[in-house]
Amino acid sequence: MTESFDIYLASASPRRRELLTQIGVTYQLLEIDEPEVPRRNEAAKIFVQRMALNKARAGYNLLDDEDRHPVLGADTVVVVDGEILGKPENAEYGKAMLARLSGTTHQVMSAVALMGHDKKAVKLNISTVRFCPLSATDIDAYWAMDESHDKAGAYAVQGQAARY
């Protein structure tokens, strides 16, 4: 007997899995390894939409012809002063991102893409976020919580970073 589900999810993000479960969408995970590298002079909103679509397309291309459920791909970036901040590669870079965001207003851009038979759709959401000034102690303490190491901009607004 085949398990019933609504879509495939081409994302390793625990938050995306949580959101789909929260809204009652059943899914199966697809492991996608899509390099997240902006093109030269590529605008952040174009980049994040391209990445979401590339992930959905890569997942869709993994499927057999008879198993063509829609595939959801997604991506999020943080943009400050026109610079795209992705996921931190290490603690030094993550803390530097947090210091850069300290006391600033920046944008969080999230794109989702759905790929199905002869159809595709991409949607973009842009949120404006204002961080209070962060001390080095604040940054060290937040980084030590381990919730932001795989998040764009090195923070999770739905977590402990909400206090900032």
Side-chain angles (χ1 to χ4, degrees), residues 10-24:
S11 172
S13 166
R15 179 67 179 147
R16 292 197 179 95
R17 293 192 304 260
E18 181 183 311
L19 288 169
L20 288 175
T21 300
Q22 185 178 17
I23 63 172

Side-chain angles (χ1 to χ4, degrees), residues 17-75:
R17 293 192 304 260
E18 181 183 311
L19 288 169
L20 288 175
T21 300
Q22 185 178 17
I23 63 172
V25 175
T26 58
Y27 61 88
Q28 281 194 359
L29 287 176
L30 292 174
E31 293 197 25
I32 302 299
D33 186 20
E34 188 68 28
E36 297 181 8
V37 180
R39 294 177 178 153
R40 185 182 166 135
N41 299 319
E42 184 174 35
K45 66 182 180 180
I46 301 300
F47 168 68
V48 74
Q49 291 177 90
R50 179 175 61 83
M51 291 311 309
L53 185 58
N54 284 356
K55 291 174 184 181
R57 183 179 293 119
Y60 194 76
N61 288 338
L62 291 175
L63 303 177
D64 295 329
D65 286 338
E66 60 273 356
D67 188 24
R68 292 290 184 154
H69 282 71
V71 177
L72 181 72
D75 197 46

Side-chain angles (χ1 to χ4, degrees), residues 94-95 97-99 101-106 128-148 153-164:
K95 290 178 183 182
M97 283 187 201
L98 293 168
L101 296 172
S102 173
T104 69
T105 298
H106 57 278
T128 300
V129 178
R130 169 97 179 135
F131 262 32
C132 68
L134 302 173
S135 68
T137 302
D138 292 332
I139 291 170
D140 287 341
Y142 180 67
W143 185 259
M145 290 179 197
D146 196 30
E147 78 173 11
S148 65
Y155 76 93
V157 76
Q158 72 276 11
Q160 296 298 314
R163 74 177 84 175
Y164 304 127

